[in-house]
C-alpha cells in the first residue's frame, strides 16, 4: 500500500503513474468519497490484504482538509480518524507527502499542466 498525499498540483498523480509503471501496481484515485467517508475508508482498509496492492492517489490523511475545501456535509470524526490511522499503521504501507514550494504549485495552476513531482 502506497499512499500519496499533498495539495492539488503537488505531483501526486504524476508520481503515482511513475510508481505504477515501475512496480506494476494499480492506482486508486481516492479524492472525496461518495457517501459516508468513514465506512468507505474502513472497508478499503479491511480489504487491503485481499486485493493486489494499490497506490492511493490521496487517502485518509488528506480527508480532513480536503473534505472541508470540497464542502462535504459528512465528515470523518476525530475519533474515527484516530481509529483508522491505527488501522493504517498496522498495514504494510508507505506514505509520501508531495510538498513542492508554493511558487511551483502556483505556476502549475497558471500553466494548467501536469506536474513533475518534487
Amino acid at each position: 500500500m502506497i499512499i500519496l498525499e499533498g495539495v492539488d498540483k503537488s505531483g501526486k498523480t504524476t508520481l503515482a503513474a511513475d510508481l505504477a509503471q515501475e512496480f506494476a501496481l494499480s492506482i486508486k484515485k481516492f479524492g472525496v468519497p461518495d457517501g459516508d467517508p468513514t465506512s468507505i475508508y474502513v472497508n478499503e482498509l479491511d480489504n487491503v490484504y485481499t486485493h493486489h496492492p494499490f497506490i492511493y492517489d490521496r487517502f485518509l490523511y488528506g480527508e480532513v482538509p480536503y473534505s472541508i475545501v470540497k464542502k462535504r456535509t459528512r465528515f470523518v470524526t476525530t475519533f474515527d480518524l484516530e481509529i483508522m490511522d491505527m488501522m493504517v499503521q498496522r498495514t504494510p504501507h508507505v506514505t509520501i507527502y508531495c510538498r513542492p514550494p508554493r511558487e511551483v504549485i502556483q505556476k502549475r495552476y497558471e500553466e494548467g499542466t501536469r506536474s513533475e513531482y518534487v
Side-chain angles (χ1 to χ4, degrees):
M1 176 178 199
I2 299 173
I3 301 170
L4 303 176
E5 293 287 1
V7 298
D8 291 346
K9 301 289 186 188
S10 62
K12 296 178 306 298
T13 302
T14 302
L15 179 56
D18 289 348
L19 291 171
Q21 183 175 358
E22 181 72 24
F23 298 108
L25 295 173
S26 299
I27 299 170
K28 271 197 167 181
K29 196 159 178 80
F30 231 80
V32 177
D34 293 326
D36 177 25
T38 300
S39 63
I40 292 167
Y41 285 112
V42 168
N43 288 338
E44 191 67 32
L45 288 164
D46 280 343
N47 293 325
V48 80
Y49 286 108
T50 60
H51 290 94
H52 180 72
F54 286 106
I55 298 168
Y56 291 91
D57 186 342
R58 270 208 177 88
F59 196 60
L60 179 62
Y61 301 113
E63 170 63 26
V64 174
Y66 196 64
S67 63
I68 291 169
V69 169
K70 297 298 181 180
K71 298 185 177 160
R72 285 214 330 253
T73 57
R74 298 183 84 172
F75 298 95
V76 173
T77 67
T78 302
F79 177 77
D80 290 340
L81 190 62
E82 289 175 9
I83 297 298
M84 290 185 290
D85 182 50
M86 286 190 285
M87 291 175 73
V88 169
Q89 297 309 316
R90 293 183 351 174
T91 305
H93 75 286
V94 63
T95 301
I96 300 170
Y97 292 92
C98 300
R99 295 190 300 191
R102 184 192 63 77
E103 297 81 16
V104 171
I105 294 171
Q106 181 178 348
K107 181 179 176 187
R108 290 173 184 165
Y109 267 108
E110 290 168 357
E111 294 173 350
T113 59
R114 280 187 51 159
S115 59
E116 288 290 324
Y117 47 87
V118 175

